[in-house]
Amino acid sequence: GQREKVSSMGWFSIILLPITVLLAVWLVPERTHTGTTAAPIKWQVAVSELRYNKPLQRILLIDLLGGLSTGVVTSLYLFLVSDYLLLESHAEWMLLVYFGSGIAFVPLILKLSYKYEKHRTLAGTAIVTVVTLPLVLIVPKGDPFAALMLWVLLGVNLGAGSLLIRAITADLVDEDRLKTGEERTGLFYAFINMTQKLGIALSVGIVYVILEQGFSYQPGQENTPEAIKGLAIIFVTIPVVVSAINAVLLWYHPITRA
C-alpha cells in the first residue's frame, strides 16, 4: 500500500545520503583559505540586507513560491497516482523517471542558461510547467506509458529550479561583495535554504486543508469521484499559478550580464 511506498522512499534516502555525502566530500575540494577570517555577521545586518536588497527579496519570493509548488507535488503525488491516474503499482517507476528526467535535463538547462541568461532560462522552464502540468487532467487513466511520458516533461523544471536559483544567488553574492567589500555568501544561502523549506512546509498545511474542507478528500481512504477530481485540480492548479507568477518575476530579474 501507500505506507510501504513512503517507507521505501525513506529507506532510499537513508541508504543514498551517506554515499552521496562521501562523494561530495571526496570530489568537491574546499577553496584555498586566504588566511583571513570574516567577522561574524550580526542579526541586525542580516535583517537590513533582507529589508533593503530588492533583487534578493525577489529571488527569495521566487524560491518560497517554488518550495510551495514542490511541496504540493510531492505531498500529493502518491494519492494522485493511486486514486486519480489508477497507477498505484507504477508509482515508484514514475517517481524514478521524474527524478531521472530532472538530472538528464541539467546539461541542456546549463547550455541554455549560458546563451539566454540564467533568469530567462529558469523563466522558460516555469512556462514549461504551466503548459505541461495541466496535461495530468487529460492523461488516460490506467495508461502507464502516457503517464511516464508526461513525467519526463515535468522533470524539466525539477533540475532547473534548484540549480539556477542557487546560481542566481551566487550572482547576488558577487554584486554584494563588489558593493560592500564583505564576504556574505553564507548569509545569502541561509536565506535561500530558509525560504525553500518554508514554502514546502506551508504547502502541506494549505493543501490538506483545502482538500478536506473544499473537496472532502480523505487521504488513504475511499473517496467520491468528485473528491478525487478535486485532488487532481489542486495538484495542477497551485503549481501552475505559482509557476506563472515565478515566470514573470524571473523574466524581469534586474541582475543581468549587462
Side-chain angles (χ1 to χ4, degrees), residues 116-137:
Y116 298 109
E117 297 206 45
K118 293 184 280 291
H119 63 289
R120 293 282 169 85
T121 301
L122 191 53
T125 64
I127 294 171
V128 170
T129 298
V130 171
V131 173
T132 57
L133 193 56
L135 297 177
V136 167
L137 300 175

Side-chain angles (χ1 to χ4, degrees), residues 3-17:
R3 181 177 297 179
E4 289 74 19
K5 289 182 172 60
V6 173
S7 177
S8 66
M9 293 178 190
W11 280 110
F12 184 79
S13 300
I14 290 171
I15 293 169
L16 283 185
L17 183 61

Side-chain angles (χ1 to χ4, degrees), residues 68-133:
L68 182 66
S69 176
T70 299
V72 171
V73 171
T74 54
S75 63
L76 297 184
Y77 169 77
L78 285 177
F79 304 118
L80 179 95
V81 172
S82 300
D83 294 346
Y84 183 76
L85 296 178
L86 305 179
L87 292 170
E88 183 176 358
S89 61
H90 298 274
E92 296 94 337
W93 289 108
M94 289 173 60
L95 196 62
L96 184 62
V97 166
Y98 178 57
F99 285 113
S101 173
I103 296 171
F105 275 110
V106 165
L108 175 61
I109 295 298
L110 286 174
K111 288 183 180 180
L112 291 174
S113 69
Y114 297 148
K115 185 174 182 179
Y116 298 109
E117 297 206 45
K118 293 184 280 291
H119 63 289
R120 293 282 169 85
T121 301
L122 191 53
T125 64
I127 294 171
V128 170
T129 298
V130 171
V131 173
T132 57
L133 193 56

Side-chain angles (χ1 to χ4, degrees), residues 87 90 93-95 97-98 139 143-153:
L87 292 170
H90 298 274
W93 289 108
M94 289 173 60
L95 196 62
V97 166
Y98 178 57
V139 167
D143 186 341
F145 180 77
L148 284 172
M149 292 301 98
L150 176 56
W151 253 250
V152 169
L153 294 176

Side-chain angles (χ1 to χ4, degrees), residues 40-257:
I41 297 175
K42 297 181 179 179
W43 68 266
Q44 296 94 331
V45 175
V47 172
S48 176
E49 189 65 33
L50 190 57
R51 182 178 178 183
Y52 296 109
N53 191 323
K54 299 300 182 182
L56 177 61
Q57 290 176 8
R58 179 183 292 254
I59 291 302
L60 292 178
L61 176 58
I62 291 167
D63 198 48
L64 176 68
L65 293 175
L68 182 66
S69 176
T70 299
V72 171
V73 171
T74 54
S75 63
L76 297 184
Y77 169 77
L78 285 177
F79 304 118
L80 179 95
V81 172
S82 300
D83 294 346
Y84 183 76
L85 296 178
L86 305 179
L87 292 170
E88 183 176 358
S89 61
H90 298 274
E92 296 94 337
W93 289 108
M94 289 173 60
L95 196 62
L96 184 62
V97 166
Y98 178 57
F99 285 113
S101 173
I103 296 171
F105 275 110
V106 165
L108 175 61
I109 295 298
L110 286 174
K111 288 183 180 180
L112 291 174
S113 69
Y114 297 148
K115 185 174 182 179
Y116 298 109
E117 297 206 45
K118 293 184 280 291
H119 63 289
R120 293 282 169 85
T121 301
L122 191 53
T125 64
I127 294 171
V128 170
T129 298
V130 171
V131 173
T132 57
L133 193 56
L135 297 177
V136 167
L137 300 175
I138 61 174
V139 167
K141 294 181 181 180
D143 186 341
F145 180 77
L148 284 172
M149 292 301 98
L150 176 56
W151 253 250
V152 169
L153 294 176
L154 295 178
V156 172
N157 204 31
L158 178 66
S162 298
L163 177 71
L164 294 183
I165 279 290
R166 279 148 185 77
I168 293 171
T169 303
D171 294 338
L172 298 179
V173 170
D174 290 341
E175 183 193 43
D176 178 73
R177 188 185 299 114
L178 289 173
K179 286 182 177 180
T180 66
E182 297 182 15
E183 176 59 66
R184 298 195 284 198
T185 303
L187 175 64
F188 278 62
Y189 280 98
F191 284 143
I192 285 291
N193 288 330
M194 176 186 68
T195 50
Q196 183 186 51
K197 291 177 174 61
L198 179 60
I200 293 173
L202 287 173
S203 70
V204 176
I206 293 171
V207 162
Y208 285 107
V209 169
I210 294 174
L211 282 175
E212 183 177 357
Q213 300 299 323
F215 298 98
S216 300
Y217 180 84
Q218 297 295 325
Q221 300 181 21
E222 291 291 330
N223 289 282
T224 64
E226 292 76 17
I228 294 173
K229 184 68 173 180
L231 165 69
I233 290 172
I234 294 299
F235 182 89
V236 169
T237 302
I238 294 178
V240 163
V241 171
V242 164
S243 295
I245 294 171
N246 273 355
V248 175
L249 291 173
L250 284 161
W251 194 264
Y252 295 103
H253 178 62
I255 307 298
T256 66
R257 292 193 193 116

